[in-house]
Short mmCIF file of all heavy atoms in Angstrom, two decimals:
data_model
loop_
_atom_site.label_atom_id
_atom_site.label_comp_id
_atom_site.label_asym_id
_atom_site.label_seq_id
_atom_site.Cartn_x
_atom_site.Cartn_y
_atom_site.Cartn_z
N LEU I 189 -3.30 7.91 11.10
CA LEU I 189 -4.36 7.10 10.68
C LEU I 189 -5.70 7.56 11.35
O LEU I 189 -5.76 7.75 12.55
CB LEU I 189 -4.14 5.62 11.03
CG LEU I 189 -3.13 4.90 10.16
CD1 LEU I 189 -2.75 3.54 10.86
CD2 LEU I 189 -3.73 4.66 8.78
N GLY I 190 -6.76 7.58 10.59
CA GLY I 190 -8.08 7.89 11.16
C GLY I 190 -8.63 6.69 11.91
O GLY I 190 -8.03 5.56 11.89
N ALA I 191 -9.76 6.83 12.47
CA ALA I 191 -10.41 5.72 13.20
C ALA I 191 -10.63 4.56 12.21
O ALA I 191 -11.14 4.78 11.10
CB ALA I 191 -11.72 6.18 13.77
N GLY I 192 -10.24 3.36 12.62
CA GLY I 192 -10.35 2.25 11.72
C GLY I 192 -9.41 2.13 10.65
O GLY I 192 -9.53 1.34 9.70
N GLY I 193 -8.38 3.01 10.63
CA GLY I 193 -7.38 3.06 9.58
C GLY I 193 -6.42 1.86 9.67
O GLY I 193 -6.42 1.15 10.70
N THR I 194 -5.72 1.61 8.61
CA THR I 194 -4.87 0.39 8.51
C THR I 194 -3.45 0.77 8.06
O THR I 194 -3.33 1.53 7.11
CB THR I 194 -5.46 -0.63 7.52
OG1 THR I 194 -6.77 -1.02 7.92
CG2 THR I 194 -4.55 -1.86 7.44
N LEU I 195 -2.50 0.28 8.76
CA LEU I 195 -1.10 0.29 8.32
C LEU I 195 -0.79 -1.03 7.67
O LEU I 195 -1.02 -2.08 8.24
CB LEU I 195 -0.14 0.54 9.50
CG LEU I 195 1.35 0.32 9.22
CD1 LEU I 195 1.86 1.34 8.20
CD2 LEU I 195 2.13 0.49 10.52
N ALA I 196 -0.30 -0.93 6.35
CA ALA I 196 -0.04 -2.16 5.64
C ALA I 196 1.47 -2.18 5.27
O ALA I 196 1.94 -1.29 4.51
CB ALA I 196 -0.87 -2.22 4.40
N LEU I 197 2.20 -3.13 5.80
CA LEU I 197 3.60 -3.23 5.49
C LEU I 197 3.78 -4.52 4.65
O LEU I 197 3.26 -5.56 4.99
CB LEU I 197 4.41 -3.38 6.82
CG LEU I 197 4.28 -2.25 7.81
CD1 LEU I 197 5.11 -2.64 9.04
CD2 LEU I 197 4.73 -0.94 7.27
N PHE I 198 4.50 -4.36 3.55
CA PHE I 198 4.73 -5.51 2.71
C PHE I 198 6.25 -5.67 2.36
O PHE I 198 6.97 -4.66 2.24
CB PHE I 198 3.99 -5.38 1.31
CG PHE I 198 2.49 -5.45 1.49
CD1 PHE I 198 1.74 -4.34 1.65
CD2 PHE I 198 1.90 -6.66 1.51
CE1 PHE I 198 0.38 -4.38 1.78
CE2 PHE I 198 0.52 -6.81 1.62
CZ PHE I 198 -0.25 -5.66 1.77
N TYR I 199 6.70 -6.86 2.21
CA TYR I 199 8.02 -7.16 1.83
C TYR I 199 8.09 -8.27 0.81
O TYR I 199 7.23 -9.18 0.80
CB TYR I 199 8.85 -7.62 3.11
CG TYR I 199 9.05 -6.44 4.05
CD1 TYR I 199 8.09 -6.19 5.03
CD2 TYR I 199 10.07 -5.53 3.82
CE1 TYR I 199 8.21 -5.07 5.90
CE2 TYR I 199 10.24 -4.45 4.68
CZ TYR I 199 9.28 -4.22 5.69
OH TYR I 199 9.39 -3.10 6.50
N GLY I 200 9.13 -8.15 -0.05
CA GLY I 200 9.33 -9.14 -1.14
C GLY I 200 9.16 -8.55 -2.50
O GLY I 200 8.42 -7.59 -2.69
N TYR I 201 10.03 -8.98 -3.39
CA TYR I 201 9.98 -8.49 -4.77
C TYR I 201 9.51 -9.53 -5.74
O TYR I 201 9.45 -9.29 -6.93
CB TYR I 201 11.34 -7.99 -5.19
CG TYR I 201 11.87 -6.80 -4.50
CD1 TYR I 201 12.64 -6.87 -3.35
CD2 TYR I 201 11.54 -5.51 -4.99
CE1 TYR I 201 13.05 -5.72 -2.69
CE2 TYR I 201 12.02 -4.37 -4.36
CZ TYR I 201 12.75 -4.47 -3.17
OH TYR I 201 13.15 -3.28 -2.60
N GLY I 202 9.21 -10.76 -5.23
CA GLY I 202 8.86 -11.80 -6.10
C GLY I 202 7.39 -11.87 -6.39
O GLY I 202 6.69 -10.83 -6.48
N SER I 203 6.89 -13.04 -6.61
CA SER I 203 5.53 -13.22 -7.04
C SER I 203 4.62 -13.75 -5.92
O SER I 203 5.12 -14.51 -5.05
CB SER I 203 5.52 -14.29 -8.23
OG SER I 203 4.32 -14.93 -8.36
N PRO I 204 3.34 -13.45 -5.95
CA PRO I 204 2.47 -14.10 -4.96
C PRO I 204 2.16 -15.55 -5.30
O PRO I 204 1.47 -16.24 -4.50
CB PRO I 204 1.18 -13.24 -5.09
CG PRO I 204 1.20 -12.68 -6.44
CD PRO I 204 2.64 -12.51 -6.78
N ASP I 205 2.66 -16.03 -6.47
CA ASP I 205 2.29 -17.37 -6.91
C ASP I 205 3.44 -18.37 -6.67
O ASP I 205 3.20 -19.55 -6.71
CB ASP I 205 1.92 -17.37 -8.37
CG ASP I 205 0.73 -16.45 -8.59
OD1 ASP I 205 -0.24 -16.57 -7.82
OD2 ASP I 205 0.77 -15.63 -9.49
N THR I 206 4.70 -17.85 -6.53
CA THR I 206 5.80 -18.86 -6.33
C THR I 206 6.62 -18.39 -5.16
O THR I 206 6.79 -17.19 -4.90
CB THR I 206 6.72 -18.87 -7.57
OG1 THR I 206 7.24 -17.54 -7.78
CG2 THR I 206 6.02 -19.40 -8.81
N ALA I 207 7.15 -19.36 -4.44
CA ALA I 207 7.82 -19.04 -3.21
C ALA I 207 9.29 -18.70 -3.32
O ALA I 207 10.02 -18.50 -2.37
CB ALA I 207 7.68 -20.29 -2.23
N THR I 208 9.81 -18.62 -4.59
CA THR I 208 11.18 -18.27 -4.85
C THR I 208 11.47 -16.86 -4.16
O THR I 208 10.84 -15.89 -4.49
CB THR I 208 11.48 -18.17 -6.36
OG1 THR I 208 11.00 -19.34 -6.96
CG2 THR I 208 12.96 -17.98 -6.59
N ALA I 209 12.44 -16.88 -3.24
CA ALA I 209 12.69 -15.64 -2.47
C ALA I 209 13.48 -14.59 -3.33
O ALA I 209 14.47 -14.95 -3.95
CB ALA I 209 13.38 -15.91 -1.20
N VAL I 210 12.93 -13.43 -3.42
CA VAL I 210 13.60 -12.28 -4.09
C VAL I 210 13.73 -11.19 -3.09
O VAL I 210 12.69 -10.54 -2.75
CB VAL I 210 12.81 -11.87 -5.34
CG1 VAL I 210 13.60 -10.75 -6.11
CG2 VAL I 210 12.49 -13.03 -6.24
N GLY I 211 14.94 -10.84 -2.68
CA GLY I 211 15.15 -9.73 -1.76
C GLY I 211 14.94 -10.16 -0.33
O GLY I 211 14.33 -11.16 0.03
N PRO I 212 15.53 -9.36 0.61
CA PRO I 212 15.46 -9.64 2.03
C PRO I 212 14.10 -9.35 2.59
O PRO I 212 13.32 -8.53 2.05
CB PRO I 212 16.45 -8.67 2.57
CG PRO I 212 16.50 -7.52 1.67
CD PRO I 212 16.19 -8.06 0.33
N LYS I 213 13.80 -10.11 3.63
CA LYS I 213 12.48 -9.96 4.28
C LYS I 213 12.65 -10.12 5.81
O LYS I 213 13.43 -10.94 6.22
CB LYS I 213 11.54 -11.09 3.79
CG LYS I 213 10.54 -10.70 2.69
CD LYS I 213 9.49 -11.74 2.56
CE LYS I 213 9.64 -12.53 1.31
NZ LYS I 213 10.80 -12.95 0.68
N PRO I 214 11.84 -9.39 6.55
CA PRO I 214 11.91 -9.63 8.00
C PRO I 214 11.07 -10.83 8.35
O PRO I 214 10.26 -11.30 7.53
CB PRO I 214 11.26 -8.32 8.53
CG PRO I 214 10.37 -7.90 7.52
CD PRO I 214 10.97 -8.28 6.19
N SER I 215 11.20 -11.27 9.60
CA SER I 215 10.24 -12.32 10.01
C SER I 215 8.96 -11.60 10.40
O SER I 215 8.99 -10.45 10.87
CB SER I 215 10.76 -13.07 11.22
OG SER I 215 10.68 -12.29 12.38
N SER I 216 7.83 -12.23 10.17
CA SER I 216 6.57 -11.62 10.56
C SER I 216 6.50 -11.41 12.09
O SER I 216 5.93 -10.43 12.56
CB SER I 216 5.36 -12.39 10.08
OG SER I 216 5.47 -13.70 10.55
#
Side-chain angles (χ1 to χ4, degrees):
L189 284 168
T194 301
L195 168 62
L197 303 177
F198 291 95
Y199 291 91
Y201 290 92
S203 154
D205 300 314
T206 59
T208 310
V210 184
K213 259 192 253 34
S215 75
S216 55

